[in-house]
Every structure is written in structure tokens, then in C-alpha cells.
Amino acid sequence: MEMEEAAPALAVVDARFCAADAASLAVAKTLSMSGSDFAVTDAATGALVLRVDGVLFSLRRRCVLVDADRRPVLTVQESALLLNTRWKVFRGDSTRRRDLMFTVVKPSVIPLRMATKVSVFLASNDAEQACDFRITGSYHDGACAVSLGDSDTVIAKIDRRFSVVSALLGKNTYTVTVNPGIDYAFIVALVVILDEMYYQR
């Protein structure tokens, strides 16, 4: 699936995460007590861009995405009622309803080993009749795309690097390409949720 050159600029989390040029990131899961820690680096320079820190001793699976200065950007939390099919993302280190930014939903009857089809709804989209973004492709085969709604407008590509060692350790590495003007913190949050959905079922 080809990246769309004309995809519009879009800041879901914050405009400071929208680069003028296409962003190429490496998202690597690191061994940790929580099992949900990631380091996000610039694929070209190796510079740390973001981190994801898992939260220990939580009733729900939760992690916090922080910037290079360790300031909380957003919190990702699994829904208590719909285990591993619905995840909510909040602003900063909050989990209050008023700070909800978007929700990520996977149909419970479709395992991610088959064709991947995950819907993303912005907080303002209460009815959830039509998704604001969609993740499609095949997570199992290592290639997914993020599109605007149900359109063919691709705003990011997510490729999973597979190896026997990484599979045994649950230590995945993703290559993420984000279109110019698209919020890469938003895309990183989607990568983390996909990883949680697939490996923590």
C-alpha cells in the first residue's frame, strides 16, 4: 500500500509532534518488569524521541507515553469491561473522562492473526457510527497501514520486524513511517496498542 503524498496535516495529540517532513521512527519494546516499555527513536539518527513506560501494580493494563524530557504526553489504558478489545487514550498522565482523546477498538471475534481491522474514534465521536481512523493490513505478517476513516488515504505505515529471538522474548521492534504533518505521537500510541492486543490476549 502506497503512502498518500497529499494526506492533510493532522494533530491528534499535539502540533509539536507534526513534522514538516515524513518521519521514520524505530519503536522497540524493551525488557522490563511491566512488559510494556518502549523506546522510540529517530530511525536515521538514533536520537530518542519518545518513551513508553508501563505502569506496575495497576488493576488495568496501562502505560504512559513521555517525551524526550520525560514529560507525560498521553496515557494508554485498557478498558476494564471489554478486555483487550477496547483501549482508551488520555491526555498527559490522566485517566479522567474529560481528558479522553481517542478510543481504539478491535472486533472481539476477529483475532489479529487474521486480517487486521482496528477502528479509532476521537473523543468527540460519541456515537462511534463511523471511525475517524482505521488500521488495516496484517499484523501477523508484519505490515499495517493507518488510514483516514474508511478511505484509502494512508497517513502512516507500521512494519513489524520479526525474529525467533524477539518472538520468544516478546521484544518487538517496529519501523514506523509517518506522513508529513501527521502527529507521530498519535501513531506511536497505535503501535503500542497493537502490540498489547496481539501479545497480551
Side-chain angles (χ1 to χ4, degrees):
M1 188 175 292
E2 296 294 326
M3 298 285 285
E4 290 284 343
E5 294 296 331
L10 179 66
V12 175
V13 177
D14 196 299
R16 67 188 170 111
F17 299 114
C18 298
D21 300 317
S24 182
L25 304 173
V27 182
K29 194 169 190 177
T30 59
L31 294 177
S32 65
M33 292 290 290
S34 71
S36 299
D37 290 11
F38 295 80
V40 183
T41 56
D42 184 303
T45 66
L48 184 68
V49 178
L50 297 165
R51 286 190 59 84
V52 179
D53 297 328
V55 177
L56 291 171
F57 312 118
S58 173
L59 293 177
R60 306 183 201 180
R61 279 187 286 151
R62 188 167 79 236
C63 57
V64 180
L65 186 147
V66 300
D67 63 18
D69 296 320
R70 310 291 294 186
R71 293 173 298 192
V73 175
L74 51 81
T75 296
V76 176
Q77 180 171 270
E78 182 182 32
S79 170
L81 298 177
L82 298 168
L83 296 180
N84 209 36
T85 61
R86 178 176 289 259
W87 290 74
K88 294 182 178 296
V89 180
F90 302 85
R91 187 174 304 282
D93 57 2
S94 172
T95 55
R96 294 172 296 188
R97 181 173 177 79
R98 68 181 184 184
D99 293 318
L100 178 67
M101 302 181 72
F102 57 92
T103 301
V104 182
V105 180
K106 173 176 70 72
S108 58
V109 296
I110 302 176
L112 285 176
R113 287 185 179 276
M114 300 174 66
T116 299
K117 190 173 183 180
V118 176
S119 300
V120 183
F121 302 95
L122 296 177
S124 57
N125 186 358
D126 292 328
E128 296 188 358
Q129 294 297 312
C131 65
D132 297 289
F133 303 92
R134 192 178 296 285
I135 307 169
T136 55
S138 174
Y139 180 89
H140 182 65
D141 292 334
C144 290
V146 182
S147 304
L148 291 175
D150 285 318
S151 74
D152 293 327
T153 303
V154 176
I155 61 172
K157 292 174 67 176
I158 302 167
D159 296 308
R160 180 171 60 93
R161 302 179 203 162
F162 176 81
S163 71
V164 174
V165 174
S166 66
L168 290 173
L169 295 176
K171 185 179 178 182
N172 296 308
T173 301
Y174 302 86
T175 299
V176 182
T177 306
V178 185
N179 265 20
I182 302 300
D183 188 332
Y184 60 81
F186 168 61
I187 302 299
V188 168
L190 298 183
V191 173
V192 171
I193 292 171
L194 277 179
D195 187 272
E196 291 286 341
M197 285 179 169
Y198 188 82
Y199 279 94
Q200 307 294 333
R201 296 186 71 232

